[in-house]
Coordinates of all heavy atoms in Angstrom, one line a residue:
K208 N 28.5 -0.3 4.3 CA 28.7 1.1 3.9 C 27.5 1.6 3.2 O 26.7 0.8 2.6 CB 30.0 1.1 2.9 CG 31.3 0.7 3.6 CD 32.0 1.9 4.1 CE 33.4 1.5 4.6 NZ 34.0 2.5 5.5
N209 N 27.4 3.0 3.0 CA 26.2 3.5 2.3 C 26.0 2.9 1.0 O 24.9 2.6 0.5 CB 26.5 5.0 2.2 CG 26.4 5.7 3.6 OD1 26.2 5.0 4.6 ND2 26.5 7.0 3.5
G210 N 27.1 2.7 0.2 CA 27.0 2.2 -1.2 C 26.3 0.9 -1.4 O 25.6 0.6 -2.4
E211 N 26.4 0.0 -0.3 CA 25.8 -1.3 -0.4 C 24.3 -1.3 -0.2 O 23.6 -2.3 -0.4 CB 26.5 -2.2 0.7 CG 27.8 -2.6 0.3 CD 28.5 -3.3 1.4 OE1 28.0 -4.3 1.9 OE2 29.5 -2.8 1.9
V212 N 23.7 -0.1 0.2 CA 22.3 0.0 0.4 C 21.5 -0.3 -1.0 O 20.4 -0.7 -1.0 CB 21.9 1.3 1.0 CG1 20.4 1.5 1.1 CG2 22.5 1.4 2.5
V213 N 22.2 -0.1 -2.1 CA 21.5 -0.4 -3.4 C 21.1 -1.8 -3.5 O 20.2 -2.1 -4.2 CB 22.4 0.0 -4.7 CG1 22.6 1.4 -4.9 CG2 23.8 -0.7 -4.6
K214 N 21.7 -2.7 -2.7 CA 21.3 -4.1 -2.8 C 19.8 -4.3 -2.2 O 19.3 -5.3 -2.4 CB 22.2 -5.0 -2.0 CG 23.6 -5.1 -2.6 CD 24.4 -6.2 -2.0 CE 25.3 -5.8 -0.9 NZ 26.1 -6.6 -0.2
Y215 N 19.4 -3.3 -1.5 CA 18.1 -3.4 -0.7 C 17.1 -2.4 -1.3 O 16.3 -1.8 -0.5 CB 18.3 -3.2 0.7 CG 19.5 -4.0 1.3 CD1 20.7 -3.4 1.6 CD2 19.4 -5.4 1.5 CE1 21.8 -4.2 2.0 CE2 20.5 -6.1 1.9 CZ 21.6 -5.5 2.2 OH 22.7 -6.3 2.7
T216 N 17.0 -2.4 -2.7 CA 16.1 -1.3 -3.2 C 14.7 -1.6 -2.9 O 14.0 -0.6 -2.6 CB 16.3 -1.4 -4.8 OG1 17.7 -1.3 -5.1 CG2 15.6 -0.1 -5.4
N217 N 14.2 -2.8 -2.8 CA 12.8 -3.1 -2.4 C 12.5 -2.4 -1.0 O 11.5 -1.8 -0.8 CB 12.5 -4.6 -2.4 CG 12.4 -5.1 -3.8 OD1 12.4 -4.3 -4.7 ND2 12.4 -6.4 -3.9
E218 N 13.4 -2.7 -0.1 CA 13.2 -2.1 1.3 C 13.3 -0.6 1.3 O 12.5 0.1 1.9 CB 14.4 -2.7 2.2 CG 14.1 -4.0 2.7 CD 14.9 -4.4 3.8 OE1 14.8 -4.1 5.0 OE2 15.9 -5.2 3.6
C219 N 14.2 -0.1 0.4 CA 14.3 1.4 0.3 C 12.9 1.9 -0.2 O 12.4 2.9 0.4 CB 15.3 1.8 -0.8 SG 17.0 1.4 -0.3
E220 N 12.3 1.2 -1.2 CA 11.0 1.8 -1.7 C 9.9 1.6 -0.6 O 9.1 2.5 -0.5 CB 10.6 0.9 -3.0 CG 11.5 1.4 -4.2 CD 11.1 0.7 -5.4 OE1 10.1 1.1 -6.1 OE2 11.8 -0.3 -5.8
E221 N 10.0 0.6 0.0 CA 8.9 0.4 1.2 C 9.0 1.5 2.2 O 8.0 2.1 2.5 CB 9.1 -0.9 1.9 CG 8.4 -2.1 1.4 CD 8.7 -3.3 2.4 OE1 9.7 -4.0 2.1 OE2 7.9 -3.5 3.3
I222 N 10.2 1.9 2.6 CA 10.4 2.9 3.6 C 10.0 4.2 3.0 O 9.2 5.0 3.6 CB 11.9 3.0 4.0 CG1 12.4 1.7 4.6 CG2 12.1 4.1 5.1 CD1 14.0 1.6 4.7
I223 N 10.4 4.5 1.7 CA 10.1 5.8 1.0 C 8.6 6.0 1.0 O 8.0 7.0 1.3 CB 10.7 5.8 -0.4 CG1 12.2 6.0 -0.2 CG2 10.1 6.9 -1.2 CD1 13.0 5.9 -1.5
N224 N 7.8 4.9 0.5 CA 6.4 5.1 0.4 C 5.7 5.4 1.8 O 4.9 6.3 1.9 CB 5.8 3.8 -0.1 CG 6.1 3.7 -1.6 OD1 6.4 4.7 -2.2 ND2 6.2 2.5 -2.1
E225 N 6.2 4.7 2.8 CA 5.5 5.0 4.1 C 5.9 6.5 4.6 O 5.0 7.2 5.1 CB 6.0 4.0 5.2 CG 5.5 2.6 5.0 CD 5.8 1.6 6.0 OE1 6.5 1.9 7.0 OE2 5.3 0.5 5.9
V226 N 7.2 6.8 4.5 CA 7.6 8.1 5.0 C 6.9 9.2 4.1 O 6.4 10.2 4.7 CB 9.1 8.3 4.9 CG1 9.6 9.7 5.2 CG2 9.9 7.3 5.9

Side-chain angles (χ1 to χ4, degrees):
K208 296 265 184 198
N209 292 1
E211 288 171 59
V212 174
V213 284
K214 291 198 262 180
Y215 311 105
T216 311
N217 289 346
E218 281 191 80
C219 293
E220 284 184 78
E221 265 184 273
I222 304 167
I223 288 172
N224 287 335
E225 291 187 359
V226 172

